[in-house]
Amino acid sequence: MKNAYDRFITMTREIRQLGTVAELLAWDQETYMPKKGIALRAEQLSTMASVAHERLSSDEFGTLLRQLDEDIDDPVRATNIREMRRFYDRAVRVPAELVARIAKTTTLAKEAWVKAREASDFALFAPHLKELFELKRQMADCIGYQGERYDALLDEFEPGMTTAMVADIFASLRKPLADFVQRLADAPNQPDASIVRRHYPRAAQEAFGRRLAEAIGFDFDAGRLDVSTHPFCSGAGPLDVRMTARYYEDYVNASIFGILHETGHGLYEQGQSIEHCGTPTGAYVSLGIHESQSRLWENMVGRSRAFWEKFYPECQAAFPDALTDTSLDAFHGAINCVGPSCIRVEADEVTYNLHIVLRFEIERALLDRRLDVKDVPDAWNEKMRTLLGITPANTAEGCLQDIHWSLGAIGYFPTYALGNLYAAQMFEAATEAVPDLEGAIRRGDTGVLLSWLRENVHAHGMRYRAAELIERVSGRPLSIEPFMNYIERKFAPIYDL
Ligand code: CO
């Protein structure tokens, strides 16, 4: 028995190492790789993926998993076996032929999506989207599910979460959030958004962003911050975390809050157990929990007034031309402007969730065949009107704006909104547990919050599924209440509600 477990752990680590090598190759592709390297890099990544898949779905690994018993008193073993069994099941249930068809279809779909978005012509993308949803239905049927097909797809990104749970949460969020956006729009005080669109020299942004990442606890001896078109965080484990940022001289939010966001992801990675590196006990729970860490640092901490009481003088010193004559309150208002917009990635933290509710409702209906692909643009616009009171000018600003569907990532969107809700619930629990947390943030002592997160969230790895983790952390199941309370408390003084 002991030998079987040791062999299982060795193989598990090898599988994960193949994955991290691929992550570093992908990181390099987005940061330093010369343009002409792209074709070879695509082959390298595809080879890495198939070697890892072979290992994971091998007879040897399957036999080991059958020999090992999950019901043991050791939580580390139980977690590792349970989660690797889940990865294994997902890997072996989908036939290689279907995997290959999905890969081929997404390659073509992504090309078509780029053209369709450029031309703002949904018809160019529609046939690919239709085929992708058909293949994803087949994939869901191979994997199996208890409630509805969408469960099987959601489970890839948010293990254990069900469509019904997401639907309940989102249904309860829809109206109160849309009403709140309206209240802010009608509020007497509207902050001046132009402050963050002044001239902010790039070199100063790089230095200040790095300073903030360090100040909230990122260890630069165990990670890097580089530049890419779309910011991300990846890496090879807690001792080698790779983050990226982007810089616009006429829009400082992109770097400051992009960096705080990715640092939130990075702190979660650096907080994983070194001893259990490469196994589920030393890995993140779900994309939603990962996103909760980035949103907590970006928004609950990074957009709070307390945080800027500490850092605004430094910020003014870093950007004297832009900010010398701007008060802390004006700056704090500018970084917290809320308003309906068509593009998800540009959305503020309040309207953001509504963009996700819309996407979830549409992709769920598509998968169920309650909605036809050709009717997506109309359904999209209709929901934009109901949820945000605006209509996109064209499909490029509407249903063609996101890359996700073209990559076959269906069931991914909910993790963004779940992340916001988990974050608010965790932050509320931290505020109750840590004496005078706000005062500590005001002094720049965010280490107490990081320690709390390390102990209550990071250290567990995948031991608890997201729903269980949030209940352990906060004493109750996930609800929209902490998020609604958080935005009410935060935006009331800014907007004079
Ligand atoms: Co993120």
Side-chain angles (χ1 to χ4, degrees):
M1 187 66 183
K2 181 168 189 308
N3 286 341
Y5 183 77
D6 287 349
R7 177 69 191 139
F8 157 78
I9 286 296
T10 301
M11 284 192 79
T12 294
R13 287 208 156 106
E14 283 171 1
I15 292 161
R16 179 61 196 140
Q17 276 163 18
L18 292 166
T20 58
V21 170
E23 281 199 38
L24 291 176
L25 285 172
W27 167 84
D28 173 69
Q29 182 181 327
E30 301 299 324
T31 51
Y32 294 106
M33 188 190 79
K35 243 190 273 177
K36 290 182 178 172
I38 187 68
L40 178 60
R41 184 55 47 88
E43 280 178 35
Q44 292 169 323
L45 282 167
S46 154
T47 302
M48 292 304 297
S50 57
V51 173
H53 183 269
E54 270 165 33
R55 278 294 159 99
L56 176 61
S57 58
S58 67
D59 290 343
E60 186 187 1
F61 201 60
T63 307
L64 286 169
L65 281 169
R66 275 186 293 278
Q67 285 169 8
L68 295 165
D69 190 357
E70 228 180 88
D71 296 325
I72 41 178
D73 296 331
D74 182 339
V76 170
R77 283 189 177 214
T79 302
N80 290 341
I81 296 166
R82 182 191 72 217
E83 294 304 324
M84 289 316 291
R85 191 166 279 158
R86 178 182 152 268
F87 286 122
Y88 172 83
D89 285 345
R90 288 191 68 97
V92 296
R93 283 178 188 169
V94 186
E97 195 203 331
L98 181 55
V99 174
R101 272 189 72 194
I102 292 175
K104 199 173 158 208
T105 307
T106 52
T107 306
L108 297 173
K110 197 190 149 194
E111 277 175 34
W113 169 76
V114 171
K115 289 191 184 119
R117 191 168 77 151
E118 266 167 28
S120 194
D121 183 357
F122 183 70
L124 295 176
F125 182 53
H128 300 274
L129 189 61
K130 200 174 151 90
E131 193 184 346
L132 266 178
F133 267 88
E134 184 45 47
L135 295 173
K136 285 285 171 164
R137 273 183 214 109
Q138 291 176 25
M139 188 180 129
D141 290 346
C142 295
I143 292 165
Y145 47 86
Q146 304 230 299
E148 58 183 88
R149 278 201 178 102
Y150 194 89
D151 286 329
L153 304 184
L154 178 64
D155 191 72
E156 180 178 350
F157 309 109
E158 201 62 17
M161 182 60 73
T162 67
T163 312
M165 282 161 79
V166 173
D168 273 358
I169 292 267
F170 285 5
S172 65
L173 195 59
R174 238 174 173 272
K175 177 122 174 53
L177 202 50
D179 289 349
F180 187 76
V181 174
Q182 191 56 49
R183 269 175 70 206
L184 293 183
D186 298 337
N189 188 43
Q190 298 292 323
D192 175 7
S194 72
I195 292 167
V196 294
R197 296 190 179 273
R198 293 173 182 162
H199 183 75
Y200 293 82
R202 173 168 171 153
Q205 288 193 46
E206 289 184 342
F208 187 62
R210 197 182 157 94
R211 154 79 179 130
L212 290 181
E214 229 158 15
I216 65 171
F218 189 79
D219 177 2
F220 276 94
D221 287 333
R224 293 183 55 87
L225 174 61
D226 293 272
V227 180
S228 68
T229 317
H230 301 285
F232 64 89
C233 174
S234 69
L239 300 177
D240 186 358
V241 176
R242 309 295 175 99
M243 311 192 290
T244 66
R246 59 179 159 190
Y247 302 91
Y248 302 121
E249 295 209 312
D250 57 357
Y251 185 51
V252 76
N253 279 8
S255 75
I256 291 182
F257 297 101
I259 289 170
L260 286 171
H261 180 99
E262 299 311 332
T263 305
H265 284 304
L267 291 173
Y268 186 27
E269 288 295 323
Q270 290 187 339
Q272 295 299 323
S273 155
I274 292 163
E275 182 192 351
H276 298 295
C277 183
T279 72
T281 304
Y284 70 93
V285 179
S286 68
L287 290 187
I289 295 294
H290 224 308
E291 191 68 3
S292 76
Q293 300 307 288
S294 60
R295 296 299 250 174
L296 190 146
W297 289 100
E298 175 196 355
N299 292 327
M300 275 114 217
V301 178
R303 282 188 162 91
S304 70
R305 199 169 182 295
F307 184 77
W308 289 101
E309 280 180 42
K310 164 74 181 170
F311 290 103
Y312 190 57
E314 279 185 50
C315 188
Q316 279 182 307
F319 310 105
D321 293 345
L323 296 174
T324 298
D325 298 326
T326 301
S327 71
L328 168 60
D329 278 328
F331 179 77
H332 183 239
I335 60 171
N336 282 294
C337 281
V338 173
S341 61
C342 287
I343 307 293
R344 173 186 62 85
V345 296
E346 292 166 9
D348 56 78
E349 63 178 312
V350 178
T351 56
Y352 194 95
N353 291 321
L354 294 171
H355 289 270
I356 300 305
V357 170
L358 173 152
R359 284 156 179 75
F360 168 70
E361 290 178 357
I362 287 182
E363 60 183 18
R364 186 186 183 200
L366 279 172
L367 202 69
D368 279 358
R369 295 202 172 86
R370 281 182 286 116
L371 178 67
D372 225 50
V373 164
K374 69 173 174 7
D375 298 323
V376 166
D378 287 343
W380 189 285
N381 291 351
E382 169 59 33
K383 284 180 193 295
M384 281 299 285
R385 274 192 291 277
T386 316
L387 292 168
L388 287 159
I390 53 174
T391 311
N394 51 49
T395 48
E397 284 189 4
C399 63
L400 287 174
Q401 66 181 271
D402 295 307
I403 196 172
H404 300 61
W405 289 343
S406 76
L407 302 175
I410 295 155
Y412 187 112
F413 284 123
T415 66
Y416 292 123
L418 290 170
N420 288 330
L421 300 177
Y422 295 144
Q425 195 152 330
M426 281 179 195
F427 193 67
E428 189 185 81
T431 305
E432 279 163 26
V434 178
D436 191 24
L437 177 58
E438 198 182 308
I441 294 173
R442 193 171 286 121
R443 293 188 301 274
D445 178 18
T446 51
V448 287
L449 176 60
L450 182 57
S451 302
W452 186 88
L453 289 168
R454 288 261 145 97
E455 188 185 325
N456 291 282
V457 180
H458 305 181
H460 297 309
M462 293 187 90
R463 178 165 176 190
Y464 308 109
R465 291 265 166 89
E468 199 184 348
L469 180 69
I470 204 73
E471 212 167 328
R472 288 184 63 91
V473 165
S474 67
R476 60 189 171 127
L478 179 66
S479 97
I480 67 163
E481 234 176 275
F483 181 80
M484 294 307 300
N485 291 339
Y486 154 72
I487 56 176
E488 177 74 41
R489 245 194 336 270
K490 174 175 185 175
F491 289 96
I494 298 172
Y495 279 79
D496 266 345
L497 289 183

